[in-house]
Amino acid sequence: MKKTFFLTVLMMFVGLGAFAQDIPLTQEQLPKEIKSFIAKNFGDKVFRSAKIDKELLKTTYEIKFEDGTELDFDKNSRIIQAECKSGLPNSIIHAGIQDYITKNYGINYITEWELKTGNRQEVKLNNKIELIFDDKGQFLRLD
């Protein structure tokens, strides 16, 4: 009986994995909201690739540029993650977070940003320090 239950659960997980799909997209095939966001904030970057990552309960658009910059958007075309080793543009980071970084970390800059569960925002600086902020850009803690 235990063996049958275990095999059933195992087959369910294997079956769920079969629903995951990576579908390549051209820049023109991206939703208009994502294309507008890229044009406004990353217009100087050379587009390399895009794909839609469809999983059972989650859909993500993943965009990559020639310089290694990466952006992830949710199914509603809302940015959820950004990474740029030369520094993310201020236009995509909450002003409160930018002010905190400037005041407390001077010459350091944000290389990674992610929207976490509960609308918390995590940033990583070029000196590898990771900080957590709330949805209003208020500092919460170091990570």
Side-chain angles (χ1 to χ4, degrees), residues 7-142:
L7 287 173
T8 303
V9 170
L10 180 64
M11 292 305 292
M12 284 177 42
F13 282 110
V14 169
L16 291 177
F19 287 111
Q21 295 179 336
D22 284 343
I23 303 166
L25 300 171
T26 65
Q27 190 170 9
E28 292 75 29
Q29 291 173 311
L30 292 170
K32 65 180 177 180
E33 296 87 356
I34 293 176
K35 288 192 286 189
S36 294
F37 182 89
I38 290 171
K40 178 182 176 189
N41 300 291
F42 294 91
D44 61 332
K45 306 267 184 221
V46 177
F47 178 84
R48 183 175 76 193
S49 66
K51 68 179 180 178
I52 186 168
D53 183 14
K54 288 188 174 191
E55 297 177 9
L56 187 63
L57 301 174
K58 183 178 168 185
T59 298
T60 307
Y61 292 90
E62 299 174 8
I63 318 300
K64 293 183 181 183
F65 297 91
E66 288 294 328
D67 69 349
T69 298
E70 296 184 17
L71 306 173
D72 292 348
F73 296 83
D74 66 12
K75 66 181 177 183
N76 298 317
S77 300
R78 180 176 71 155
I79 188 149
I80 55 173
Q81 189 169 358
E83 180 179 341
C84 180
K85 296 303 175 197
S86 61
L88 291 168
N90 291 346
S91 56
I92 71 165
I93 305 295
H94 191 286
I97 294 173
Q98 285 291 350
D99 292 345
Y100 184 87
I101 300 301
T102 301
K103 180 180 176 185
N104 294 287
Y105 293 94
I107 62 170
N108 294 106
Y109 53 89
I110 299 170
T111 58
E112 296 179 34
W113 172 88
E114 183 175 359
L115 183 62
K116 297 289 208 176
T117 306
N119 287 329
R120 295 188 184 227
Q121 301 174 66
E122 180 177 315
V123 297
K124 186 174 187 179
L125 305 180
N126 62 311
N127 63 357
K128 308 296 183 214
I129 290 177
E130 296 181 23
L131 304 104
I132 306 291
F133 295 84
D134 67 14
D135 61 337
K136 297 185 179 16
Q138 297 295 311
F139 175 73
L140 298 174
R141 62 182 165 83
L142 289 170

